Amino acid sequence: MQKAHIPNLAQLVEPDRVRREVYTDPDIFDLEMARIHERVWVYCGHASQVPNPGDYCTVQVGRQPMVMVRATDGAVHVLYNRCPHRGAMLCGDRHGNTGAFFRCSYHAWTFHHDGSLRSIPMMESGYAGTRWGRDNPDCQVRSAARVQNYRGFVFASLAEDGPALEAFLGPAKIAFDDMCDRAPEGEVEVVPNCFRVVQNSNWKIFLENQLDALHPSVTHQSTGRAAHDVELEIERHTGKAPLAYHMLSAFSTVTIDKWDNFRTLSYPNGHCILTGYMGLRPRDSDTLEYERVLAEACGEKRKEEILTTDIHHVLLYPGLSVQSPLQQLRAVRPLSVDRTLTEIWHFRLKGAPEPIYRRALAYYNLVNSPATMINADDLENFWKCQQGLSSQGGDWVSFHRHHGSDIARDDAVESAPGRGTSEAPMRNQMKAWAQFMGAER
Ligand code: FES
Ligand SMILES: [Fe+2]
């Protein structure tokens, strides 16, 4: 319920700027959870995280602890992680196997993988004559209102109504097509387990950063420059530097002006794409072998189409950042107004030679993991933003860059040529935020 002190939501968001309270007010955070994360499609995990009957993993959807589980018939369910008896969480671990059914650790009530009641100790004698019984729907573990899967990526919506998953994702579902199509077998498999990072900042700050093409060559310049120095040194001695250095040195060699050459495409529901790509289609023998295998699987023409897909990054609002050409994603789980958990996952292309996986793993470790300076660079900015926005040093966050020059085409808004550092993706996210929150002017 909207609290009395929350200012009129429509006054918080303008097309080119946003009030700071959107990032700092705990009551607005609660509303966001109720109206956005606990309503729209939220990514739970990949089906390959639960390959066998009884396999489960726990996941936070909005403020709700959920469990994704594989049933004996192969279906994947997403249930509230909550026993109908006295409310204990059914699964205390992040992942595991329930065996043939869930068994609550408190009083041994048991449940089938779809959440339906299996047994209660001494049920007949204990509950005869009471209002409690098998027919009472409150006896079941509650299920997410809707669960759908797109190419193995499982999403849940906690609201009965709303568009189907594919309609919600719209053109941004290319994130999953691009990732899966690069696999000779047409699908990917998760690599367990993920890195988890807790950021001391609001969840939207992370999402806004994902397609912020202005920041990499500034924020990550020192990391990129150090990597470039080492890269040149190795090249001097051996004649050739390992590809992995390029993943880091690109942050200094792709200078700020060059980022304007990329394009951003903004779609309904807050989703966006950043095109351009750091040039990871080298002509080394590993890549050539992979391309041969892929062409064998789908034909030369289709292989070219797949490998020339112009994507660097896809943001699926409100909580997923996908780098499909490198088979990785980051899932955002808001914890409170100034704390955010990110899960950093990567995937294996089924049927691709091992060195291609090793390349994705190198990027995962060097650019996206908590161990890399790239991640630390970003985290410091996020924390600084949260600190500054909590102050009285200003009321607004600016998203003015190239405002007014974006080009509307069909259902997308494209940054104008040579204006890839447009803040159009942030404006688009806040437009969706206002729509979901009921804050439209
Ligand atoms: S709380 Fe689960 S069986 Fe009692
Ligand atoms: Fe960054």
PDB file of all heavy atoms in Angstrom, residues 209-210 212 215-217 219-220 251 330 367 374-375 377-379 381-382, ligand 2:
ATOM      1  N   ASN A 209      24.085   1.078 -15.406  1.00  0.00           N
ATOM      2  CA  ASN A 209      25.493   1.003 -15.796  1.00  0.00           C
ATOM      3  C   ASN A 209      25.741   0.025 -16.944  1.00  0.00           C
ATOM      4  O   ASN A 209      26.718   0.157 -17.673  1.00  0.00           O
ATOM      5  CB  ASN A 209      26.323   0.577 -14.581  1.00  0.00           C
ATOM      6  CG  ASN A 209      27.805   0.545 -14.880  1.00  0.00           C
ATOM      7  OD1 ASN A 209      28.407   1.582 -15.099  1.00  0.00           O
ATOM      8  ND2 ASN A 209      28.378  -0.651 -14.924  1.00  0.00           N
ATOM      9  N   GLN A 210      24.848  -0.956 -17.081  1.00  0.00           N
ATOM     10  CA  GLN A 210      25.121  -2.040 -18.016  1.00  0.00           C
ATOM     11  C   GLN A 210      25.234  -1.572 -19.460  1.00  0.00           C
ATOM     12  O   GLN A 210      26.035  -2.087 -20.220  1.00  0.00           O
ATOM     13  CB  GLN A 210      24.072  -3.149 -17.891  1.00  0.00           C
ATOM     14  CG  GLN A 210      24.140  -3.888 -16.574  1.00  0.00           C
ATOM     15  CD  GLN A 210      25.549  -4.312 -16.234  1.00  0.00           C
ATOM     16  OE1 GLN A 210      26.113  -5.181 -16.892  1.00  0.00           O
ATOM     17  NE2 GLN A 210      26.161  -3.701 -15.234  1.00  0.00           N
ATOM     18  N   ASP A 212      25.765   1.690 -20.254  1.00  0.00           N
ATOM     19  CA  ASP A 212      26.353   3.022 -20.176  1.00  0.00           C
ATOM     20  C   ASP A 212      27.679   2.991 -20.937  1.00  0.00           C
ATOM     21  O   ASP A 212      28.721   2.657 -20.402  1.00  0.00           O
ATOM     22  CB  ASP A 212      26.577   3.371 -18.698  1.00  0.00           C
ATOM     23  CG  ASP A 212      27.211   4.742 -18.516  1.00  0.00           C
ATOM     24  OD1 ASP A 212      27.876   5.225 -19.451  1.00  0.00           O
ATOM     25  OD2 ASP A 212      27.044   5.307 -17.434  1.00  0.00           O
ATOM     26  N   HIS A 215      30.985   5.120 -19.816  1.00  0.00           N
ATOM     27  CA  HIS A 215      31.833   4.891 -18.645  1.00  0.00           C
ATOM     28  C   HIS A 215      33.037   3.960 -18.849  1.00  0.00           C
ATOM     29  O   HIS A 215      34.050   4.149 -18.167  1.00  0.00           O
ATOM     30  CB  HIS A 215      30.995   4.396 -17.451  1.00  0.00           C
ATOM     31  CG  HIS A 215      30.895   2.905 -17.340  1.00  0.00           C
ATOM     32  ND1 HIS A 215      30.060   2.142 -18.110  1.00  0.00           N
ATOM     33  CD2 HIS A 215      31.565   2.008 -16.554  1.00  0.00           C
ATOM     34  CE1 HIS A 215      30.207   0.877 -17.798  1.00  0.00           C
ATOM     35  NE2 HIS A 215      31.107   0.755 -16.860  1.00  0.00           N
ATOM     36  N   PRO A 216      32.994   2.959 -19.745  1.00  0.00           N
ATOM     37  CA  PRO A 216      34.075   1.962 -19.717  1.00  0.00           C
ATOM     38  C   PRO A 216      35.470   2.546 -19.872  1.00  0.00           C
ATOM     39  O   PRO A 216      36.394   2.166 -19.140  1.00  0.00           O
ATOM     40  CB  PRO A 216      33.740   1.019 -20.878  1.00  0.00           C
ATOM     41  CG  PRO A 216      32.272   1.178 -21.076  1.00  0.00           C
ATOM     42  CD  PRO A 216      31.981   2.615 -20.754  1.00  0.00           C
ATOM     43  N   SER A 217      35.617   3.453 -20.843  1.00  0.00           N
ATOM     44  CA  SER A 217      36.979   3.940 -21.095  1.00  0.00           C
ATOM     45  C   SER A 217      37.424   4.955 -20.043  1.00  0.00           C
ATOM     46  O   SER A 217      38.580   5.379 -20.044  1.00  0.00           O
ATOM     47  CB  SER A 217      37.074   4.547 -22.495  1.00  0.00           C
ATOM     48  OG  SER A 217      36.119   5.560 -22.627  1.00  0.00           O
ATOM     49  N   THR A 219      36.010   4.743 -16.371  1.00  0.00           N
ATOM     50  CA  THR A 219      36.022   3.952 -15.136  1.00  0.00           C
ATOM     51  C   THR A 219      37.085   2.854 -15.171  1.00  0.00           C
ATOM     52  O   THR A 219      37.763   2.604 -14.175  1.00  0.00           O
ATOM     53  CB  THR A 219      34.622   3.316 -14.941  1.00  0.00           C
ATOM     54  OG1 THR A 219      33.680   4.358 -14.776  1.00  0.00           O
ATOM     55  CG2 THR A 219      34.597   2.386 -13.748  1.00  0.00           C
ATOM     56  N   HIS A 220      37.203   2.194 -16.315  1.00  0.00           N
ATOM     57  CA  HIS A 220      38.093   1.021 -16.397  1.00  0.00           C
ATOM     58  C   HIS A 220      39.417   1.345 -17.090  1.00  0.00           C
ATOM     59  O   HIS A 220      40.163   0.447 -17.463  1.00  0.00           O
ATOM     60  CB  HIS A 220      37.369  -0.110 -17.146  1.00  0.00           C
ATOM     61  CG  HIS A 220      36.042  -0.448 -16.546  1.00  0.00           C
ATOM     62  ND1 HIS A 220      35.893  -0.825 -15.237  1.00  0.00           N
ATOM     63  CD2 HIS A 220      34.792  -0.437 -17.076  1.00  0.00           C
ATOM     64  CE1 HIS A 220      34.599  -1.040 -14.977  1.00  0.00           C
ATOM     65  NE2 HIS A 220      33.920  -0.800 -16.075  1.00  0.00           N
ATOM     66  N   PHE A 251      39.573  -1.962 -22.775  1.00  0.00           N
ATOM     67  CA  PHE A 251      39.007  -0.862 -21.989  1.00  0.00           C
ATOM     68  C   PHE A 251      39.846   0.412 -22.095  1.00  0.00           C
ATOM     69  O   PHE A 251      39.361   1.500 -21.804  1.00  0.00           O
ATOM     70  CB  PHE A 251      38.836  -1.273 -20.518  1.00  0.00           C
ATOM     71  CG  PHE A 251      37.685  -2.219 -20.317  1.00  0.00           C
ATOM     72  CD1 PHE A 251      37.895  -3.589 -20.180  1.00  0.00           C
ATOM     73  CD2 PHE A 251      36.389  -1.750 -20.307  1.00  0.00           C
ATOM     74  CE1 PHE A 251      36.831  -4.458 -20.010  1.00  0.00           C
ATOM     75  CE2 PHE A 251      35.306  -2.607 -20.137  1.00  0.00           C
ATOM     76  CZ  PHE A 251      35.537  -3.981 -19.991  1.00  0.00           C
ATOM     77  N   ARG A 330      24.187 -11.697 -15.777  1.00  0.00           N
ATOM     78  CA  ARG A 330      24.130 -11.279 -14.383  1.00  0.00           C
ATOM     79  C   ARG A 330      22.674 -11.043 -14.007  1.00  0.00           C
ATOM     80  O   ARG A 330      21.968 -10.327 -14.706  1.00  0.00           O
ATOM     81  CB  ARG A 330      24.988 -10.017 -14.177  1.00  0.00           C
ATOM     82  CG  ARG A 330      26.466 -10.384 -14.095  1.00  0.00           C
ATOM     83  CD  ARG A 330      27.368  -9.193 -14.176  1.00  0.00           C
ATOM     84  NE  ARG A 330      27.538  -8.741 -15.550  1.00  0.00           N
ATOM     85  CZ  ARG A 330      28.300  -7.713 -15.905  1.00  0.00           C
ATOM     86  NH1 ARG A 330      28.955  -7.032 -14.978  1.00  0.00           N
ATOM     87  NH2 ARG A 330      28.419  -7.381 -17.169  1.00  0.00           N
ATOM     88  N   VAL A 367      36.596 -10.187 -16.515  1.00  0.00           N
ATOM     89  CA  VAL A 367      35.779  -8.970 -16.632  1.00  0.00           C
ATOM     90  C   VAL A 367      34.597  -8.957 -15.648  1.00  0.00           C
ATOM     91  O   VAL A 367      34.288  -7.934 -15.066  1.00  0.00           O
ATOM     92  CB  VAL A 367      35.268  -8.791 -18.081  1.00  0.00           C
ATOM     93  CG1 VAL A 367      34.393  -7.553 -18.211  1.00  0.00           C
ATOM     94  CG2 VAL A 367      36.454  -8.708 -19.044  1.00  0.00           C
ATOM     95  N   ILE A 374      37.941  -4.838 -12.964  1.00  0.00           N
ATOM     96  CA  ILE A 374      36.825  -4.240 -13.719  1.00  0.00           C
ATOM     97  C   ILE A 374      35.594  -4.170 -12.814  1.00  0.00           C
ATOM     98  O   ILE A 374      34.932  -3.136 -12.700  1.00  0.00           O
ATOM     99  CB  ILE A 374      36.504  -5.084 -14.984  1.00  0.00           C
ATOM    100  CG1 ILE A 374      37.712  -5.134 -15.928  1.00  0.00           C
ATOM    101  CG2 ILE A 374      35.258  -4.567 -15.689  1.00  0.00           C
ATOM    102  CD1 ILE A 374      38.016  -3.858 -16.649  1.00  0.00           C
ATOM    103  N   ASN A 375      35.288  -5.296 -12.185  1.00  0.00           N
ATOM    104  CA  ASN A 375      34.138  -5.342 -11.289  1.00  0.00           C
ATOM    105  C   ASN A 375      34.318  -4.375 -10.123  1.00  0.00           C
ATOM    106  O   ASN A 375      33.393  -3.642  -9.742  1.00  0.00           O
ATOM    107  CB  ASN A 375      33.978  -6.789 -10.786  1.00  0.00           C
ATOM    108  CG  ASN A 375      32.652  -7.031 -10.111  1.00  0.00           C
ATOM    109  OD1 ASN A 375      32.528  -6.818  -8.905  1.00  0.00           O
ATOM    110  ND2 ASN A 375      31.659  -7.454 -10.861  1.00  0.00           N
ATOM    111  N   ASP A 377      36.093  -1.651 -10.071  1.00  0.00           N
ATOM    112  CA  ASP A 377      35.937  -0.275 -10.591  1.00  0.00           C
ATOM    113  C   ASP A 377      34.467   0.132 -10.550  1.00  0.00           C
ATOM    114  O   ASP A 377      34.114   1.225 -10.109  1.00  0.00           O
ATOM    115  CB  ASP A 377      36.382  -0.179 -12.066  1.00  0.00           C
ATOM    116  CG  ASP A 377      37.870  -0.413 -12.279  1.00  0.00           C
ATOM    117  OD1 ASP A 377      38.648  -0.225 -11.342  1.00  0.00           O
ATOM    118  OD2 ASP A 377      38.231  -0.785 -13.431  1.00  0.00           O
ATOM    119  N   ASP A 378      33.621  -0.764 -11.062  1.00  0.00           N
ATOM    120  CA  ASP A 378      32.185  -0.448 -11.134  1.00  0.00           C
ATOM    121  C   ASP A 378      31.571  -0.343  -9.744  1.00  0.00           C
ATOM    122  O   ASP A 378      30.799   0.569  -9.467  1.00  0.00           O
ATOM    123  CB  ASP A 378      31.444  -1.534 -11.934  1.00  0.00           C
ATOM    124  CG  ASP A 378      31.689  -1.420 -13.426  1.00  0.00           C
ATOM    125  OD1 ASP A 378      31.810  -0.284 -13.926  1.00  0.00           O
ATOM    126  OD2 ASP A 378      31.749  -2.470 -14.089  1.00  0.00           O
ATOM    127  N   LEU A 379      31.931  -1.306  -8.895  1.00  0.00           N
ATOM    128  CA  LEU A 379      31.330  -1.325  -7.552  1.00  0.00           C
ATOM    129  C   LEU A 379      31.630  -0.036  -6.796  1.00  0.00           C
ATOM    130  O   LEU A 379      30.791   0.465  -6.049  1.00  0.00           O
ATOM    131  CB  LEU A 379      31.856  -2.518  -6.744  1.00  0.00           C
ATOM    132  CG  LEU A 379      31.336  -3.887  -7.171  1.00  0.00           C
ATOM    133  CD1 LEU A 379      31.949  -4.969  -6.294  1.00  0.00           C
ATOM    134  CD2 LEU A 379      29.828  -3.952  -7.081  1.00  0.00           C
ATOM    135  N   ASN A 381      32.054   2.934  -8.086  1.00  0.00           N
ATOM    136  CA  ASN A 381      31.148   3.976  -8.601  1.00  0.00           C
ATOM    137  C   ASN A 381      29.738   3.816  -8.054  1.00  0.00           C
ATOM    138  O   ASN A 381      29.074   4.793  -7.708  1.00  0.00           O
ATOM    139  CB  ASN A 381      31.084   3.930 -10.130  1.00  0.00           C
ATOM    140  CG  ASN A 381      32.277   4.610 -10.769  1.00  0.00           C
ATOM    141  OD1 ASN A 381      32.980   5.382 -10.126  1.00  0.00           O
ATOM    142  ND2 ASN A 381      32.512   4.314 -12.029  1.00  0.00           N
ATOM    143  N   PHE A 382      29.267   2.556  -8.010  1.00  0.00           N
ATOM    144  CA  PHE A 382      27.884   2.329  -7.553  1.00  0.00           C
ATOM    145  C   PHE A 382      27.734   2.826  -6.116  1.00  0.00           C
ATOM    146  O   PHE A 382      26.757   3.471  -5.767  1.00  0.00           O
ATOM    147  CB  PHE A 382      27.515   0.834  -7.598  1.00  0.00           C
ATOM    148  CG  PHE A 382      27.606   0.187  -8.959  1.00  0.00           C
ATOM    149  CD1 PHE A 382      27.591  -1.197  -9.085  1.00  0.00           C
ATOM    150  CD2 PHE A 382      27.691   0.940 -10.120  1.00  0.00           C
ATOM    151  CE1 PHE A 382      27.665  -1.806 -10.320  1.00  0.00           C
ATOM    152  CE2 PHE A 382      27.772   0.337 -11.370  1.00  0.00           C
ATOM    153  CZ  PHE A 382      27.765  -1.042 -11.457  1.00  0.00           C
TER     154      PHE A 382
HETATM  155 FE    FE B   2      31.849  -1.038 -16.049  1.00  0.00          FE
END
